[in-house]
Structure formats: structure tokens, C-alpha cells
Amino acid sequence: MDLPLLLCGPILRRVEPTLVSVWVALREPATVTVKLWEGRVAAGASNVFLSSDPGTATLRVGGRLHVAVATLKIPVTSPRVLQPGRLYSYDLSIATNSGTSTLNSLGLLTAGQVFGRPSQPLGFEEHFLPSFSLPPATITDLRVVFGSCRRVNCDHLDAMVWIDDVMQANGACPFSDPLKRPHQLFLGGDQIYADDVSPVQLRMSIDLGKELIGTVAGGGAIERLIVDNLRRNVSAAPTSFDHYGPSATRKTSPGDADDFALPADHAYFPAGRRFLLTTVDAQMTTVDGWAHLFSLGEFAATYLSVWSDACWPRKTGTTGALDLPTDEQLMPDPPAWPDRIPTYLDAPVGGKESRGHDLPESERKVSPFQNYDVFFDPPKPDDRRTPEQRAEAYAKHVEELKQKFEAHRAQLTLFEGGLAKVRRVLANIPTYMIFDDHDVTDDWNLNRTWYDRVYNRSLGVMTIRNALVSYALFQDWGNDPLKYERLGVHRQLLERIAGLFPAGEPKGPNATVANDIDALLGFNLFGVVDDLDGSVSAVNPPVTWHFSVPGPKHLAVALDNRTRRSFVSRNGPPGNVAGSLDQTQNTPQTDQVPPGPFTDGKEVLIVIAPLQVLGPPILDELVAPAAFRAFDVTDYEKLLQPGLRIGSRGMMGTNPDAIEAWAFDPKTLEALLRRLEPYRHVVLLSGDVHYSASTVMSYWRKGAQDPARIVQFTSSGFKNVMPSYITTVDRSMALAHKIVRAKIGAERLGWNVKPSNPVLLPAGTTEADVPRALRARLRLEPTMIPTYGWPQGSVVNPAQMPDWSWRVEPIFDRRADLARPPAIQPLEITVDAEAMLTEPGGPRALQGYEAAAARHQRAVKTLRNSRQILFRSNFGVVRFEQHGTVLHAIHEVYTAARLPEDVGDTPLKPELFMMHDAGLAAPEQVRPEILSLQPLGAEETRVTTAQP
């Protein structure tokens, strides 16, 4: 494969007054130097402002993958410390054994053909260098862009491309204005979807991954994956996921016999045929594991392909045409219909029914599932179809697969067409990244049962190791490059990564190095189970992933909500970042969020929390608890069935969308809120949920006159949206419309120590009149109760006031219809309303009904119930406004949509579809405990307003 020198990048990473860092991935070893200029300059400018000479050496990951975070460090005493409110331009000097390259010599500064594809000049204008601006000195000038959930295998448009559009000269955040262009870009998780890759893309990643890590003579992969869970237990047909005997419950190292270490290649791990490997051998719980990433080469190749078009395969003799895998390359061989897959595990590779014909003879060993097509169920024991009927069913299945692959190729072609703009975005905005589950696998670290199963399977351990190694290289290193330079565990991690596939070794990974990495990542750690309540404590792996980025008037903190979880019980739900209401205890929360309040003039704490902390109250309080149980009910039948169906697998709430909400572990949620409260002005940025919304919380601690304000902004996803049935319900059901538009909030009262009589009931009522669920909460410590569900007239005992209380409310877009984009504006009704009312049954009334129906039909076609929640690919921009004495946080959500009457294929441009405004002070609000408690169903009566 002919690879370019620059595989991916440049990606502008951490930028501070004394630091500029740029990430690149290269085909060969090099020394990378960053050069800096003041203002916007063209290539070849002579007045270099600063240079990082002698440069940064690349880290060897594989034979043709070398990564660097090139850093320019400025002494704090230097007169050239970078200043806010100014533009700076940068270039790279990449020195290899064959010469020195710059961004200009690589062809990245002009429009034309680069990598066989039309390119976009990285500096927005011809010959200009990429540039950036530091966060400004005034909070009202700050522009932060954020988003998450970029699933290539999705038929929605890629909103990351649209960030480039708003940075154009006439856009909302023009690149030429240092105060209006984006100052920071936060990618809040699921930068890749390791568990949900198109088989078309995975086949490309397998090929590229082999090139990156290395191949042996004949083209076989150096990298090996261990598949031993099933293969150690092939003597009997399994009856459930856990029927593999004691020998399968131990973790094995990469040093096991070659019988269990197979090349990461098409023959052994074919794209689109990995479901059983994922769910049985690795014991993961994803339902999208047909094309799960396993090898380090595949992870690295996938990262390169979502941020750059440099490594996408192209046809020879053409200009830019993609060479995507064909149906013939992707189609499985006709199945041999095994009664049980394990009876075929030891069948030799070879012959027309195998996938081993593309391997050299020396590597033809054993294919784990060579004759099983996971897209097509094998016959059941009572299957009475004739061979002809089975063949007909299979032929139909093959035709459906071809249609699916064709759709995937169209998706990939469209996605790749936007990558030139994505590269420009990443080159011009300081970019910070934190993982969520899909960067590793769906349900990652879901509960203690998940830990016990996956971390005790060789393929499970290798997959998570490769995911986190690639995360360190492609994401975390650039968040805080100096952390990786200092002596410590992060530097040790890079050193070990360089030893996984040493030059000259015929196969890998190196067993000793891999085990060292596992220890650094904490794979040998399991939380302690409390004997009294069954809760599971958090673990503390040596390598940490959280980070913070200071600005003149704000501090950004990114949470690791995956690797330091506690659990309410063995089967969940998780405490996403373990914490304690006792803030003197050392917990993952106290490690990740520094103590407040600010003492250095900063005004706002911005928290990047991949999992939404404060969901819309209607979802967190009413929908999510029911959904948690509904998913378990629907999976119950699968759980009872023997064989290889995924089902609940003995876990309650295995659907992550139903179990992972912060609201399901109130103690951990309250600990985080208590940690945030001293900052007074807090903005949470989240993704994960595949919709966009905003909420605001007023939080009172005992003795405080005014509440702290904690605002939740959610923009999700870049390229992933809630399932179509959710949006259909949202658009089409009157009850759903009413619920979503209702101002349903939520309130909570909390006592550190269980009170003796916190609620005074009205005369004529007793404790028996209080719902059982509320009575149960009164017996717990700490005691936390909602303000609704009580007998009418109940009040909080003034002698036992709570230690804290809060109210959370939804935020709505209050702009006039005409102030919103045309594609979201409702049809105007021009019929005389007075005539309609005075002529019931007359022609005017009929015209009114027709106009109302047309208005509703258009609204359904154009989405567009989006004043509170938006279901569409999008990204968010956060800015701040000063209204009198109150600072306001503004959440602008950008997406694109076409009018129903529009025709043609003109590229859509992003517009401000939803705007939410939240005041960061609310002195007028009344504490919940001062008001009467509410009867069930009266939640709406308490909501004040989130906006002026």
C-alpha cells in the first residue's frame, strides 16, 4: 500500500500562553518542529516569532506508524508569552532521512489535488498557514465548540464538517476575528465507534492496520490476537454465554501457545463476521459487534480514517476515486450449517468454503468461525425446510447483504468527501478530547459483572488494551503533552507502547510489554464489594485520563466517567465518577474536579462530562426509570433461551441508554453537585444521548442566600441521532408533544444525617397516606426526597430544614418564529381567526382547519419540534452574555435541514436551529423547602423560568 508521509494531521492540540502543541501521525520516523508567527501569515514568511527547535522526535508504534505531539514551550518569563485577543499562525518542519517537509511542500495550503482528492487550504485562504487564537481576557468574548458521537456507519450528515462552514469569512465564528472564532473545541466522547463499524470500513481498516503495524513475508499480519475462550472448550455444545468451564474464566497473556494467537487478518477475523468473537469469546455486551475493532492496527487505522482522507484507498489511474471493498470481498462463504459452532472450530483453513485463501501456506492454521455467517441465523433444531428452501432463503439474504454494502459504500463516500473540511477544523482550533464507551466498546465498564467477565477473557483484555493504547496515542497525549514528558506513569505508558511491536520481531505484541501496559491501565484491579449493601468501590488505575485546561476567565475540566466508577450493586447502575458527600475524602471526584471557589479572577467552571449529568427532567425523572426496566422486560425472553443469543446475559439493565444515567445513583450525583457548588457558575457540556437539549439547576446549600447555578448543555451527536421510532413519536404523537412542551421540572431535598421528622403532614393524614417509595427514602442516610408525591398541604418541618436542595428546569428556545431558520419556521395561517370563531361550520372555519392541518403536516416533515430538544446531527457553540449584573450562558445548536419544497443536491449549510439562554444567577428564586410539598402529578407548578 502506497502511504503518504503525513498519515493524519496536523491537529492543533493544547494551547496556552506558554505552550503550543500539534499532533501528527507519519509513515516514517521524523523530528517535528513547530514554528509560530504573529497574525495570519502566508507560507514562507520570514519573521518567525517562535520555534520549537530542535524539535520533537516521533514515537514508533509500528513499522509504518510514527506519532508525535510536537510542542513549542515558552518560558513564563519570556516577553513573547502568547496573548489573548491575537491571532497566531503556525507551520511544521518534518525532518526525515529523505528530507524536510512543510505544510506547503505537502500541498496542504492550496486548493487542488492532495492524496488524490480535492483539498481545502488549511489556512482557509490560498497559501495561508493555519492559525488560532487563545481564550480571550473577557468571558463574553469566549467561544467554545463542542460535540460528540461521530458514527461513520450512520446515514445522517456529519456535523463536524459544518464547523468549518461557521468559520468561513461570512460565518458565525469567522476565522479572521480572534474574538469571534472558536477558541477551544471539546470532543466529548465516541470519537470513533469501535463496536459499530461498517464491514466495508473494517475491511479497509484491516488492510491499513497491517501496513501500519507490520507484515511478515507473504503479507500476513505481525499482530496476533488470542482467541482461547471458545477454543479451550470445544468438546461440548454451549447452552449459554457462560457455559465455557473453569478454564475459560482466567485471563491469559499474549505469550500463550500459537494455537490461540491468530493473525489479525481477513481469514481469522473477517469483517462482518465477528459477532460471536465479540460477545462470546470477548464476553462483551454490544449488540452491534458484527464488525468490532480488535487489533491495535485496526484501531489506529480507524482513527486515521475519521480525521483524514490521506489513507483512504484509491483506484489507480483515476483522480480521487475511492477503491472501496467489493461485494465479493465482503460476502461470506455459503454456510455449512453446523449444529453448533464449536464442532467446527478446529476445521483447517483452506478450500472454497474458507476465508483463508489469501494467506500464505505457512499461516493457514485455524479459522475460529470459518463457516458461520453471523448475519444469517443457522437453522433451528426443528427447522423442516428443504435444502431448496434453505438455499432460497440464503440467496435472499445475500441479496439483502449486497444492498446493505452498497448503502455503506455510499455513506463512506459521502463521509470521506467532508474530511478535507474536518482536517481544517482540527488544524485551526485547539482541540481537546475525552473518551466515552464507544471509543472502546458499547457498555464499557457497565457493572461489576461486566468487569468480571470481560477482563477475564484474553480477547476482551486485548481489545480494551488496544483501545486505550490508541486512545492515549490519538487523543489523550495531546490533551496534556507535558504530562507525557515528565517522569511518571504516562511516560512509562508511551515507552511500553513503543515496545509492543519492536522492529525485527516476526509477531507480537510482546508479552512482557503487554502485561506491563495492563498493569498501568489497572486491568488487574477490581472494586471491593461492601458486605452490607452490596455496593462496589471504585478502582484506582495508575494511568489517569482526566485533565483540565485554564483560560483567563474560565477553567475547563474533563471528567473520566468510565475507568473510576463505583457501582450501586454487582449489576449496577454505575456511579460514573465515584465520589462522597464528605468532601474531605479522597475520591475520583476530588481528583478530577479541583476544589472551589475560584480565587484567581475566573468566572465560570466548564465541565466536559461525556455522560449527561442533568438530563431533561421529563426524561431523568419519569421516562428513564421506566425505560431501565422496560429494556429488561423485553430481554427476558432472550435470557431464558439457551444457545448464543445475547439477551440480558444475567445482567439487569444491560442497555446502557437505560442504566448509565447519573440520576440512577443519587449519592454519586449529589457528591458531584456538592463538589461543583462552590464555583457558583458551572456549565456542563455533554453528549452520549444523541439529542440536544439544555437544563439549568438552582442549587442551595444550607445557610446560603442565593443558589449556585449549574447549567447542562448537551449537543449530540456529530453523526448519530436517536432511533427513528423516538423521533417519530416526538413528531407525531399529541401526548408526546404535550409532555415535551410541558414545563416539567424536578426538585430534591437532602439531609446528611437521617432526620427524625422532616415532613409535617396535613391534619387528617398519617404516614400510611405517604406513598411507600417516599417512606422508604425517609429511612435512608443520607436522606434525599423529591418535593412531589406528598399529601396535599404537606410542608417541610421548619425545625429540620435540609442541608441542601435543588431545582432543575428545562430551557426552551424563546426566539420568535421569524428569528429562526426558514426550514424550521411554521407555515403562517392567514385565515381570519375572528371569522373562523363566529362562523362555526362555515367556509372560513373549514379553511382554518385546512390551514392548521397543512401547518402541522409541514412541521412533521421538517422535524421540527426543537425548542427544547433537537433530534438531528449537530454541534454546539457556548458563549456568554452580560445582562445587567447577571452573566448568562448561551447554548447555540447548529444543524442543517432542507425545506420540503427544495430540490437539488446543493450542500446544506448549518444554521442556528436552537438557542438556549440560562442566567448564571437567580436571586429571585425561592428555595424548594420554603414552599409546600406537591401532590403527585403537580411537578409543573413549581417551575419558574430558566430565562429572563
Side-chain angles (χ1 to χ4, degrees):
M1 184 180 295
D2 186 19
L3 295 178
L5 172 63
L6 185 62
L7 304 175
C8 187
I11 299 179
L12 185 63
R13 299 305 311 270
R14 191 178 183 100
V15 171
E16 297 180 272
T18 58
L19 177 75
V20 177
S21 58
V22 182
W23 181 95
V24 291
L26 303 172
R27 176 191 62 201
E28 57 192 87
T31 299
V32 185
T33 301
V34 180
K35 295 184 178 181
L36 202 66
W37 287 260
E38 285 190 293
R40 293 191 67 248
V41 301
S46 59
N47 54 331
V48 178
F49 183 62
L50 289 166
S51 176
S52 66
D53 285 333
T56 302
T58 55
L59 178 81
R60 183 189 185 280
V61 182
R64 305 187 76 185
L65 177 60
H66 303 262
V67 178
V69 178
T71 57
L72 188 161
K73 289 169 278 191
I74 309 169
V76 293
T77 56
S78 170
R80 296 194 172 190
V81 168
L82 306 186
Q83 300 296 319
R86 299 182 186 178
L87 286 173
Y88 295 92
S89 300
Y90 73 91
D91 197 0
L92 298 180
S93 175
I94 303 173
T96 68
N97 289 334
S98 56
T100 300
S101 302
T102 64
L103 298 180
N104 188 45
S105 68
L106 291 170
L108 297 176
L109 303 184
T110 58
Q113 292 289 325
V114 178
F115 316 129
R117 282 287 297 170
S119 65
Q120 301 284 351
L122 280 190
F124 288 95
E125 296 175 319
E126 289 278 325
H127 305 295
F128 274 83
L129 294 170
S131 59
F132 63 88
S133 178
L134 274 69
T138 303
I139 192 68
T140 51
D141 290 325
L142 179 67
R143 300 291 185 275
V144 171
V145 179
F146 76 106
S148 68
C149 306
R150 191 159 170 254
R151 182 166 67 97
V152 178
N153 186 27
C154 173
D155 57 4
H156 288 266
L157 296 175
D158 184 4
M160 205 167 187
V161 175
W162 296 332
I163 302 175
D164 183 87
D165 292 325
V166 301
M167 292 185 68
Q168 295 294 329
N170 59 348
C173 304
F175 65 85
S176 58
D177 189 331
L179 297 182
K180 291 184 178 180
R181 66 180 289 159
H183 302 108
Q184 293 174 328
L185 169 61
F186 290 103
L187 305 184
D190 300 343
Q191 278 66 265
I192 63 171
Y193 273 69
D195 63 301
D196 192 3
V197 184
S198 161
V200 182
Q201 185 185 6
L202 179 55
R203 185 168 179 98
M204 295 190 300
S205 293
I206 293 171
D207 288 332
L208 178 56
K210 289 196 302 180
E211 289 290 323
L212 297 174
I213 302 302
T215 57
V216 298
I222 285 176
E223 185 171 6
R224 300 295 203 269
L225 296 167
I226 293 178
V227 181
D228 59 355
N229 187 24
L230 273 178
R231 300 184 68 223
R232 288 181 183 275
N233 298 270
V234 299
S235 59
T239 58
S240 75
F241 272 94
D242 300 308
H243 184 204
Y244 297 107
S247 63
T249 61
R250 66 178 185 85
K251 181 174 65 178
T252 53
S253 72
D256 273 13
D258 285 346
D259 286 346
F260 304 108
L262 305 176
D265 213 331
H266 300 297
Y268 299 99
F269 303 93
R273 300 176 68 190
R274 297 185 173 189
F275 184 73
L276 296 179
L277 286 164
T278 301
T279 57
V280 178
D281 207 85
Q283 285 285 290
M284 294 176 182
T285 54
T286 178
V287 296
D288 297 312
W290 316 101
H292 202 300
L293 302 179
F294 289 148
S295 73
L296 179 58
E298 292 165 4
F299 273 98
T302 302
Y303 274 112
L304 297 180
S305 69
V306 300
W307 290 336
S308 170
D309 54 6
C311 296
W312 284 65
R314 309 198 181 277
K315 296 178 181 178
T316 58
T318 63
T319 303
L322 291 177
D323 188 13
L324 300 178
T326 64
D327 289 345
E328 182 180 5
Q329 291 173 311
L330 293 163
M331 289 304 299
D333 297 313
W337 301 124
D339 294 330
R340 285 294 178 187
I341 287 90
T343 62
Y344 277 73
L345 286 179
D346 292 323
V349 169
K352 65 179 182 179
E353 291 187 349
S354 80
R355 300 298 291 178
H357 55 271
D358 53 353
L359 284 183
E361 185 67 30
S362 61
E363 295 202 19
R364 295 189 182 184
K365 295 179 182 178
V366 178
S367 178
F369 307 112
Q370 67 172 62
N371 291 319
Y372 183 64
D373 172 14
V374 295
F375 281 112
F376 194 57
D377 287 337
K380 306 300 186 292
D382 58 349
D383 188 352
R384 297 182 180 180
R385 293 177 298 173
T386 66
E388 291 76 15
Q389 289 172 326
R390 293 179 182 177
E392 181 181 353
Y394 186 72
K396 180 181 179 182
H397 159 67
V398 168
E399 185 59 34
E400 292 172 350
L401 271 185
K402 289 181 178 179
Q403 294 175 8
K404 180 178 293 187
F405 292 149
E406 186 59 33
H408 287 182
R409 282 189 285 267
Q411 290 173 355
L412 289 168
T413 301
L414 181 62
F415 177 84
E416 187 272 344
L419 287 176
K421 286 189 172 185
V422 170
R423 176 194 282 122
R424 184 158 62 190
V425 167
L426 296 174
N428 284 274
I429 311 176
T431 303
Y432 305 88
M433 313 176 187
I434 188 68
F435 51 50
D436 199 19
D437 55 342
H438 293 286
D439 299 270
V440 179
T441 184
D442 195 14
D443 293 354
W444 179 32
N445 291 347
L446 177 69
N447 52 37
R448 173 61 185 268
T449 300
W450 197 98
Y451 265 86
D452 290 344
R453 291 176 176 175
V454 177
Y455 287 96
N456 278 307
R457 266 61 178 190
S458 299
L459 186 59
V461 168
M462 295 190 80
T463 301
I464 300 174
R465 179 200 308 133
N466 291 332
L468 287 178
V469 164
S470 62
Y471 171 76
L473 292 170
F474 288 82
Q475 297 196 53
D476 191 63
W477 191 357
N479 291 329
D480 190 353
L482 297 186
K483 178 174 64 177
Y484 282 84
E485 290 185 11
R486 295 189 292 267
L487 289 175
V489 293
H490 293 86
R491 180 169 167 178
Q492 292 175 32
L493 179 60
L494 289 185
E495 292 170 349
R496 300 300 187 275
I497 290 172
L500 273 174
F501 300 96
E505 289 295 323
K507 61 183 179 181
N510 178 278
T512 301
V513 172
N515 288 333
D516 289 346
I517 291 176
D518 291 352
L520 289 172
L521 300 177
F523 288 177
N524 58 330
L525 303 176
F526 295 86
V528 177
V529 179
D530 189 292
D531 292 335
L532 294 178
D533 61 9
S535 62
V536 184
S537 65
V539 298
N540 187 31
V543 171
T544 58
W545 304 112
H546 61 276
F547 62 90
S548 62
V549 187
K553 292 297 180 180
H554 79 289
L555 173 67
V557 172
L559 300 182
D560 164 10
N561 58 202
R562 287 285 164 183
T563 72
R564 282 165 167 75
R565 289 178 153 186
S566 56
F567 300 103
V568 171
S569 65
R570 179 176 174 79
N571 285 327
N576 294 308
V577 182
S580 171
L581 286 170
D582 181 359
Q583 295 291 298
T584 64
Q585 291 187 19
N586 184 27
T587 67
Q589 284 188 14
T590 58
D591 289 342
Q592 297 189 32
V593 181
F598 290 125
T599 58
D600 56 359
K602 291 182 173 57
E603 299 180 49
V604 178
L605 176 69
I606 296 178
V607 180
I608 296 85
L611 285 167
Q612 186 183 60
V613 179
L614 305 175
I618 179 64
L619 298 180
D620 267 10
E621 295 295 307
L622 301 179
V623 177
F628 178 2
R629 289 151 182 85
F631 279 112
D632 289 332
V633 170
T634 59
D635 279 345
Y636 185 68
E637 181 182 356
K638 299 175 185 177
L639 176 63
L640 294 179
Q641 292 182 4
L644 301 175
R645 310 307 300 169
I646 187 166
S648 292
R649 302 184 55 198
M651 300 183 201
M652 297 299 290
T654 54
N655 187 299
D657 298 322
I659 192 176
E660 290 186 313
W662 279 81
F664 288 147
D665 184 357
K667 289 183 181 179
T668 303
L669 171 61
E670 294 297 342
L672 179 64
L673 298 177
R674 183 168 295 186
R675 188 71 178 174
L676 300 177
E677 183 272 336
Y679 287 99
R680 311 300 293 168
H681 299 163
V682 180
V683 176
L684 299 160
L685 305 183
S686 299
D688 178 71
V689 291
H690 308 158
Y691 63 78
S692 290
S694 304
T695 55
V696 59
M697 172 180 283
S698 297
Y699 183 101
W700 289 265
R701 57 180 170 82
K702 196 171 187 177
Q705 180 177 352
D706 297 327
R709 294 279 274 185
I710 302 174
V711 178
Q712 172 75 73
F713 291 158
T714 302
S715 282
S716 178
F718 277 134
K719 197 178 188 299
N720 206 357
V721 182
M722 276 282 194
S724 58
Y725 65 83
I726 298 291
T727 54
T728 299
V729 168
D730 170 63
R731 291 199 310 256
S732 306
M733 291 183 64
L735 176 60
H737 281 203
K738 182 177 180 180
I739 291 175
V740 170
R741 289 188 173 93
K743 295 180 180 179
I744 296 178
E747 295 176 334
R748 179 172 292 166
L749 312 176
W751 291 261
N752 295 322
V753 178
K754 183 173 63 176
S756 59
N757 186 29
V759 176
L760 301 180
L761 302 177
T765 60
T766 66
E767 185 176 320
D769 297 305
V770 177
R772 181 180 300 175
L774 293 181
R775 298 201 305 267
R777 293 191 185 197
L778 290 172
R779 299 186 181 96
L780 300 176
E781 187 175 288
T783 304
M784 295 173 284
I785 60 173
T787 60
Y788 62 87
W790 301 90
Q792 182 77 43
S794 301
V795 297
V796 175
N797 187 343
Q800 298 185 30
M801 284 296 189
D803 295 302
W804 79 91
S805 60
W806 52 252
R807 176 183 298 118
V808 63
E809 308 171 40
I811 303 179
F812 296 84
D813 186 341
R814 299 183 183 278
R815 293 177 297 165
D817 286 335
L818 293 180
R820 308 176 80 205
I824 206 171
Q825 293 177 10
L827 282 178
E828 183 180 1
I829 295 180
T830 58
V831 179
D832 186 342
E834 183 175 350
M836 288 171 53
L837 295 174
T838 57
E839 301 175 13
R844 297 288 185 90
L846 180 59
Q847 292 174 12
Y849 284 121
E850 291 174 344
R855 179 186 177 107
H856 179 74
Q857 184 178 25
R858 179 186 174 90
V860 169
K861 287 183 178 179
T862 56
L863 235 64
R864 299 258 150 66
N865 177 25
S866 59
R867 288 193 177 271
Q868 182 189 1
I869 301 177
L870 175 68
F871 297 106
R872 198 171 184 86
S873 294
N874 69 87
F875 68 90
V877 175
V878 178
R879 58 183 182 83
F880 298 88
E881 294 180 357
Q882 191 74 41
H883 296 181
T885 60
V886 177
L887 183 67
H888 285 239
I890 311 297
H891 182 201
E892 297 181 340
V893 180
Y894 287 85
T895 188
R898 205 181 300 278
L899 290 166
E901 59 268 24
D902 286 350
V903 295
D905 55 359
T906 303
L908 291 172
K909 296 298 182 182
E911 296 181 276
L912 180 52
F913 262 60
M914 191 166 70
M915 186 173 77
H916 290 156
D917 180 337
L920 295 181
E924 76 286 352
Q925 284 213 9
V926 179
R927 307 170 76 110
E929 60 266 36
I930 301 300
L931 304 171
S932 297
L933 301 182
Q934 306 167 89
L936 195 63
E939 300 88 349
E940 190 174 345
T941 63
R942 266 314 222 296
V943 174
T944 56
T945 177
Q947 299 158 297

